[in-house]
């Protein structure tokens, strides 16, 4: 149901019944290794290209979801997913494997929440009973597409971020009361594209911060809430710079919130001593952290209500070379324990 | 992982320098580029008084250059090879010094054919040749052939 | 840069200032020191290889440049292939990008990266993806410079 | 000979610092920086300034990419001396060919042997 200008409220409270999270070697050394279902110790995952390895990450995450939920592919009505690679081939190819009717979506690193919002909306309105949604990214595949070959010795500035190798997928289900102790989606706010004229592709956090701020403010306004309603507001992949910038923007806009409450997936996933500069990024970042770590924390009772704001930078290497600035977007989904 | 990477670098550099210093016979010629050797001029031609005098004369001429600190002179049948080292701070003007010296020598000894080089390699080969000539078995013909080789080397400048 | 700045709306400019405050500054001094160190070491290794070729092969200072460059390119290929060069690059910045090893790294990394797309379209088509612009601008600039100089010499200006 | 190592280190290091400043202060991409440095090398040789630098610093001047521009100009000028103005076109790669051909050959061999480590 539409509420305010750009938000949905899900009255039937769709359930996130099961999740599957896969990761690569760098994530295995990270802070949240325990929250991954499958971790690979090799970026290639026994495939002969990074893109194929990327596909495997997504496939395995989906399989894990099905296994945990005790369902077959035929029981799933739709598959809503996307990734960062040209024409989202890794996701489309895994849709070829699982043969579930498929919506391919692209929202850069905001894909995970775009998918979750759409899936929740469809289930809330009876459009489906079971949907698998999520997103993934692969460090080397993204690196070679957006920047340089992985072995190229280009120096990354301290503003750069490290693309997560990983995928996070979730089964969103009609709330029929059978799933206890499972988080539910309550509302979602769809963001608009915000462009503050930044052009440095090595400073995504700074470019995306206004989009995150815009969506959070819209969410509060549409639903008539303030920050105190949530136990945690977590952004997708703003990194250190983006987090500090958007926190200041929010403060300037009159939002009062403890900085501890305002976290970022890109800062949660890796240890401080891992060489990731400003933090993690990639569409797999918010997906893997939310569907792994954050939902586990919610089930343990650490958080009751969280707002997940996944941010995406909608650039391509070509648009950057043609001198365009970086347009950004953010989508927010509110998740609660019943 | 870090350690493996680091040791890979170490091994590579080790190999590099290992190759560079193999063979530790400390003949004079092997140190010719590091130390000032200042070899006395040699004459491959008939060791007539005139030829020896001329070689000494060239040597003196060169010693007048404050930019030059080491010189090897070989007088062959037809050619005179003059190899010298330029003090480092004057290497910027190396080409000019070379031209200048050549002009001066050709003016002083108009009948001779000079090959002048500040190249380390030419110097090294000149010293090596002088070393060989100390061996009485080393024939004059061979020496002259070697001298021609050095001159050829000097001319292929790419 | 200034023309880009003008196109920004006042709101964007205001954000730019706010964002700059949080942006981690590039440690220019530290980067320069590291670039100096890494670049210097690479050039010193190059010098060692040059002397290696002068000592043990028939190369003069002038001609030893070619095998030296080829050797450095080869070493950079090994380091790139073993996944070391990108770490050197992150540490050394321009210190490892500006020497010819960086050129080699650009060529080799593009080649091995695109191996997955096949030898002809992948490796062949992408090998100069990064280094191509260096060749294009080098050749064109050299053409212009050489043309001007040749014309000036022909006119007798130089 | 020994001062040569010292000056190779210093001059090579300084050229790299110029590159680093173009990266960090000029905010240029590596591609822009290296292209610019090659052009600088070519122009310096046009004024006859690069050869003395090579005499002075050896590998400190021949290893940085600026020497690529220098040797391109050199090849062109040498050929132009012999064949006139057409030589500018034909002599371009005379001197530089070793670096480029080595890069191509080793790049190709590398692609056959290595896999990117990521």
């Amino acid at each position: 149901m539409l509420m305010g200008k750009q938000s949905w409220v899900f009255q039937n409270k769709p359930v996130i019944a099961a999740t599957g999270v896969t990761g690569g070697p760098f994530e295995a050394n990270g802070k949240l290794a325990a929250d991954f279902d499958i971790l690979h110790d090799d970026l290639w995952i026994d495939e002969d290209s990074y893109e194929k390895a990327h596909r495997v990450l997504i496939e395995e995450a989906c399989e894990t979801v099905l296994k945990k939920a005790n369902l077959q592919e035929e029981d799933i009505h739709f598959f809503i997913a996307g990734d960062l690679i040209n024409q989202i081939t890794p996701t489309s190819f895994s849709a070829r494997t699982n043969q579930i009717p498929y919506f391919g979506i692209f929202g850069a690193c905001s894909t995970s929440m775009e998918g979750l919002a759409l899936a929740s909306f469809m289930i809330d309105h009876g459009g489906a009973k079971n949907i698998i949604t999520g997103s993934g990214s692969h460090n080397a595949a993204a690196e070679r597409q957006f920047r340089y070959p992985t072995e190229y010795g280009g120096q990354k500035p301290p503003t750069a971020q490290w693309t997560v190798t990983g995928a996070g997928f979730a089964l969103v289900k009609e709330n029929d009361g059978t799933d206890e102790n499972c988080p539910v989606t309550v509302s979602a706010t769809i963001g608009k594209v915000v462009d503050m004229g930044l052009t440095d592709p090595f400073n995504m956090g700074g470019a995306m911060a206004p989009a995150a701020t815009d969506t959070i403010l819209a969410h509060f306004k549409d639903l008539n809430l303030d920050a105190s309603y949530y136990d945690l507001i977590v952004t997708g992949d703003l990194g250190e710079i983006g987090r500090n910038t958007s926190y200041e923007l929010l403060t300037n806009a009159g939002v009062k919130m403890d900085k501890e409450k305002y976290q970022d997936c890109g800062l949660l996933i890796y240890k401080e001593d891992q060489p990731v500069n400003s933090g993690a990024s990639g569409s797999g970042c918010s997906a893997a952290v939310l569907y792994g770590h954050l939902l586990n924390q919610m089930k343990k009772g650490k958080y009751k209500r969280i707002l997940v704001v996944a941010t995406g930078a909608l650039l391509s290497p070509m648009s950057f070379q043609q001198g365009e600035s970086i347009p950004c977007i953010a989508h927010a989904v509110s998740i609660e324990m019943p | 992982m870090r350690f493996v990477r680091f040791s890979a670098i170490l091994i590579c550099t080790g190999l590099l320098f290992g190759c560079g210093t193999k063979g530790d016979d400390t003949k004079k010629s092997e140190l010719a580029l590091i130390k000032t050797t200042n070899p006395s001029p040699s004459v491959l031609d008939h060791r007539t008084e005139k030829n020896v005098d001329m070689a000494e004369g060239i040597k003196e001429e060169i010693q007048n250059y404050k930019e030059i600190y080491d010189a090897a002179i070989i007088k062959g049948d037809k050619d005179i090879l003059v190899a010298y080292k330029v003090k480092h701070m004057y290497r910027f003007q190396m080409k000019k010094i070379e031209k200048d010296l050549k002009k001066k020598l050709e003016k002083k000894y108009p009948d001779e054919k000079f090959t002048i080089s500040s190249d380390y390699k030419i110097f090294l080969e000149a010293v090596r040749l002088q070393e060989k000539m100390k061996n009485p078995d080393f024939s004059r013909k061979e020496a002259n052939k070697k001298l021609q080789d050095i001159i050829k080397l000097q001319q292929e400048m790419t | 840069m200034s023309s880009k700045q003008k196109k920004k709306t006042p709101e964007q400019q205001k954000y730019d200032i706010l964002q700059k405050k949080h942006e981690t500054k590039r440690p220019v001094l530290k980067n320069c020191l590291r670039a100096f160190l890494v670049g210097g070491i690479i050039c010193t290794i190059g010098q060692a290889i040059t002397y290696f070729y002068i000592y043990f092969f028939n190369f003069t200072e002038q001609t030893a440049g070619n095998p030296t460059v080829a050797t450095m390119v080869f070493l950079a290929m090994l380091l790139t292939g073993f996944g070391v060069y990108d770490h050197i690059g992150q540490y050394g910045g321009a210190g490892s990008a500006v020497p010819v090893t960086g050129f080699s790294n650009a060529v080799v990394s593009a080649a091995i990266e695109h191996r997955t797309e096949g030898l002809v379209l992948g490796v062949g088509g992408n090998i100069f993806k990064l280094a191509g612009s260096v060749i294009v601008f080098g050749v064109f600039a050299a053409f212009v410079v050489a043309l001007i100089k040749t014309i000036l010499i022909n006119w007798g200006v130089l | 000979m020994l001062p040569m190592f010292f000056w190779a280190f210093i001059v090579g290091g300084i050229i790299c610092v110029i590159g680093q400043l173009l990266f960090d202060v000029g905010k240029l991409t590596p591609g822009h920086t290296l292209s610019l440095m090659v052009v600088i090398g070519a122009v310096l040789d046009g004024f006859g300034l690069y050869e003395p630098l090579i005499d002075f610093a050896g590998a400190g001047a021949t290893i940085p990419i600026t020497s690529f521009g220098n040797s391109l100009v050199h090849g062109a000028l040498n050929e132009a001396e012999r064949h006139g103005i057409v030589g500018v076109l034909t002599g371009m790669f005379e001197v530089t060919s070793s670096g480029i051909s080595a890069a191509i050959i080793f790049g190709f061999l590398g692609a056959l042997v290595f896999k990117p480590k990521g």
Side-chain angles (χ1 to χ4, degrees):
Chain A
M1 194 188 80
L2 184 70
M3 190 155 172
K5 189 167 154 272
Q6 57 195 88
S7 300
W8 287 328
V9 172
F10 309 125
Q11 277 148 334
N12 298 323
K13 297 196 161 71
V15 189
I16 302 175
T19 59
V21 184
T22 55
F26 210 71
E27 289 64 37
N29 292 326
K31 244 191 295 194
L32 306 182
D35 291 305
F36 283 83
D37 294 305
I38 299 172
L39 282 166
H40 294 278
D41 53 9
D42 176 30
L43 267 184
W44 290 88
I45 318 183
D46 293 329
E47 295 291 322
D48 54 18
S49 81
Y50 287 140
E51 287 72 19
K52 288 179 187 166
H54 190 344
R55 192 202 69 221
V56 171
L57 281 175
I58 295 173
E59 283 174 2
E60 285 181 344
C62 293
E63 279 164 25
T64 312
V65 170
L66 288 170
K67 216 188 312 166
K68 279 194 196 165
N70 227 339
L71 290 173
Q72 300 297 313
E73 275 90 350
E74 298 82 60
D75 302 324
I76 309 298
H77 297 117
F78 297 110
F79 179 53
I80 306 176
D83 59 72
L84 295 173
I85 305 306
N86 291 332
Q87 288 84 33
I88 56 170
T89 47
T91 309
S92 300
F93 285 17
S94 35
R96 178 182 68 186
T97 310
N98 62 31
Q99 288 290 305
I100 304 169
Y102 162 58
F103 288 101
I105 54 172
F106 181 80
C109 310
S110 69
T111 308
S112 57
M113 287 309 110
E114 186 180 350
L116 184 60
L118 285 170
S120 304
F121 182 79
M122 284 159 95
I123 285 174
D124 191 44
H125 286 262
K129 284 195 164 56
N130 298 318
I131 295 178
I132 286 185
T133 181
S135 178
S137 57
H138 189 287
N139 177 276
E143 200 72 19
R144 64 179 282 194
Q145 179 184 320
F146 285 96
R147 289 168 188 165
Y148 300 108
T150 50
E151 292 306 321
Y152 181 63
Q155 192 175 37
K156 293 201 185 90
T159 51
Q161 288 173 274
W162 178 276
T163 308
V164 166
T165 304
F169 279 78
L171 171 70
V172 186
K173 232 179 114 191
E174 188 185 31
N175 196 343
D176 52 10
T178 54
D179 299 277
E180 284 167 31
N181 198 29
C182 276
V184 296
T185 55
V186 178
S187 61
T189 301
I190 306 303
K192 63 173 195 281
V193 174
V194 178
D195 189 338
M196 279 300 175
L198 264 66
T199 50
D200 184 0
F202 279 112
N203 184 12
M204 301 285 215
M208 292 190 295
T213 312
D214 186 76
T215 303
I216 293 171
L217 291 175
H219 181 79
F220 288 163
K221 191 166 158 248
D222 285 351
L223 296 168
N224 222 345
L225 296 171
D226 60 36
S228 61
Y229 179 78
Y230 291 105
D231 301 324
L232 178 73
I233 295 174
V234 62
T235 49
D237 53 357
L238 290 181
E240 192 69 48
I241 296 159
R243 175 170 171 245
N244 292 339
T245 310
S246 58
Y247 184 75
E248 186 177 334
L249 286 173
L250 285 170
T251 313
N252 290 351
V255 176
K256 282 190 193 66
M257 127 176 100
D258 194 27
K259 201 165 180 186
E260 271 307 293
K261 199 194 256 188
Y262 189 61
Q263 291 293 340
D264 181 63
C265 294
L267 294 170
L268 292 172
I269 186 164
Y270 294 125
K271 288 184 184 139
E272 280 77 14
D273 60 348
Q274 282 178 298
V276 294
N277 296 319
S278 183
S281 68
S283 54
C285 175
S286 53
V289 173
L290 170 66
Y291 295 141
H293 175 70
L294 288 175
L295 292 192
N296 286 346
Q297 296 287 314
M298 288 183 85
K299 284 176 189 166
K300 279 183 197 150
K302 190 169 177 202
Y303 308 117
K304 254 189 99 55
R305 299 170 183 147
I306 66 169
L307 181 69
V308 185
V309 189
T311 44
L314 304 170
L315 84 167
S316 82
M318 199 195 290
S319 73
F320 154 67
Q321 282 166 8
Q322 290 174 348
E324 294 260 15
S325 53
I326 304 173
C328 297
I329 196 164
H331 303 298
V333 177
S334 144
I335 301 171
E336 297 183 4
M337 287 303 282
Chain B
M1 200 53 213
R2 266 236 150 117
F3 175 75
V4 174
R5 258 183 236 131
F6 197 71
S7 32
I9 303 174
L10 273 185
I11 291 167
C12 283
T13 41
L15 277 176
L16 250 168
F17 286 106
C19 293
T21 53
K22 79 175 171 203
D24 53 349
D25 55 308
T26 42
K27 274 192 292 177
K28 190 174 154 197
S29 64
E30 299 310 320
L31 292 171
L33 297 190
I34 298 170
K35 287 201 298 207
T36 308
T37 39
N38 242 337
S40 42
S42 336
V43 176
L44 294 183
D45 208 0
H46 303 282
R47 283 191 71 90
T48 57
E49 193 121 323
K50 184 182 147 242
N51 278 341
V52 175
D53 274 357
M54 188 162 99
E56 293 290 348
I58 294 168
K59 177 111 192 165
E60 252 165 55
E61 185 73 38
I62 287 171
Q63 269 158 354
N64 286 339
Y65 277 83
K66 66 176 188 316
E67 297 93 341
I68 296 172
Y69 70 97
D70 202 359
I73 295 148
I74 300 176
K75 162 102 179 68
D77 280 344
K78 309 183 233 17
D79 301 85
I80 302 180
L81 176 68
V82 182
Y84 58 92
K85 290 193 260 181
V86 178
K87 280 181 193 154
H88 207 95
M89 279 322 199
Y90 293 103
R91 283 182 72 92
F92 277 122
Q93 296 117 40
M94 217 158 71
K95 295 269 152 42
K96 223 182 82 205
I97 295 168
E98 187 179 317
K99 231 187 246 167
D100 195 57
L101 181 64
K102 187 159 187 173
K103 218 194 278 164
K104 216 172 244 179
L105 288 177
E106 272 167 355
K107 207 170 140 202
K108 200 166 172 192
Y109 306 99
D111 303 333
E112 304 295 331
K113 207 171 128 207
F114 283 99
T115 300
I116 290 176
S117 177
S118 54
D119 201 293
Y120 281 142
K121 176 67 176 176
I122 307 297
F123 189 88
L124 177 70
E125 289 301 321
V127 176
R128 277 178 181 166
L129 176 59
Q130 285 181 330
E131 206 116 282
K132 275 190 190 146
M133 276 156 48
K134 282 181 194 146
N135 186 347
D137 297 341
F138 196 67
S139 75
R140 241 188 60 208
K141 205 174 141 208
E142 261 179 283
N144 261 311
K145 195 176 160 289
K146 181 80 191 143
L147 183 64
Q148 288 307 316
D149 284 346
I150 298 174
I151 289 167
K152 221 185 279 161
L153 199 61
Q154 148 73 11
Q155 271 150 6
E156 62 165 79
M157 286 291 187
T158 6
Chain C
M1 205 61 207
S2 58
S3 66
K4 266 184 199 164
Q5 215 72 40
K6 264 179 218 153
K7 266 189 263 165
K8 283 186 178 172
T9 62
E11 196 193 1
Q12 286 178 333
Q13 282 171 16
K14 220 175 96 192
Y15 175 67
D16 210 40
I17 295 163
L18 187 144
Q19 194 276 136
K20 277 264 150 36
K21 206 168 60 186
H22 293 287
E23 192 179 314
T24 324
K25 296 284 165 304
R26 298 188 190 203
V28 178
L29 195 68
K30 196 171 91 185
N31 280 351
C32 283
L33 270 173
R34 286 173 165 185
F36 183 74
L37 201 69
V38 173
I41 289 172
I42 290 175
C43 291
T44 313
I45 293 173
Q47 190 66 49
I49 296 175
T50 307
Y51 280 134
F52 169 74
Y53 280 112
I54 290 177
Y55 255 89
F56 297 104
F57 295 90
N58 243 345
F59 289 105
T60 61
E61 260 183 277
Q62 300 268 328
T63 52
N66 287 340
T68 304
V69 164
T71 312
M72 296 297 278
V73 165
F74 176 73
L75 290 176
M77 175 201 80
L78 289 184
L79 291 176
T80 306
F82 287 120
V84 182
Y85 207 90
D86 53 336
H87 297 278
I88 302 178
Q90 180 61 30
Y91 180 85
S96 62
V98 170
V100 72
T101 48
F103 177 80
S104 165
N105 170 247
V107 172
V108 176
S109 66
I112 62 177
E113 188 72 39
H114 290 277
R115 175 71 182 87
T116 51
E117 284 97 76
L119 284 180
V120 176
L121 299 179
V123 177
N126 289 294
I127 195 165
F128 282 119
K129 195 171 130 185
L130 298 170
S133 68
V134 171
I135 297 181
V136 169
F137 280 93
V139 167
F140 192 72
F143 174 73
V144 172
V145 168
L147 194 67
I148 292 173
K149 205 163 177 188
T150 312
I151 290 173
L152 288 182
I153 289 170
N154 284 353
W155 285 353
V157 183
L158 283 175
Chain D
M1 175 185 182
L2 289 180
M4 204 66 158
F5 283 101
F6 176 74
W7 287 111
F9 184 87
I10 299 292
V11 171
I14 288 172
I15 294 175
C16 292
V17 168
I18 294 170
Q20 188 70 43
L21 288 174
L22 290 172
F23 277 0
D24 282 351
V25 181
K27 294 267 159 102
L28 296 181
T29 67
H32 283 94
T33 309
L34 298 183
S35 302
L36 184 62
M37 295 198 80
V38 171
V39 173
I40 291 172
V43 171
L44 280 180
D45 193 50
F47 290 109
L49 295 174
Y50 208 83
E51 272 309 290
L53 190 66
I54 293 179
D55 287 338
F56 179 72
T62 55
I63 294 294
I65 199 76
T66 37
S67 82
F68 183 69
N70 160 64
S71 41
L72 283 168
V73 172
H74 245 68
L77 285 179
N78 281 349
E79 198 79 359
E81 225 165 80
R82 269 176 277 165
H83 304 296
I85 212 127
V86 190
V88 173
L89 277 177
T90 55
M92 195 76 82
F93 281 101
E94 204 108 295
V95 189
T96 16
S97 46
S98 76
I100 293 179
S101 53
I104 294 176
I105 290 162
F106 292 135
F108 194 81
L109 287 177
L112 296 179
V113 178
F114 293 114
K115 261 178 143 190
K117 297 273 186 296

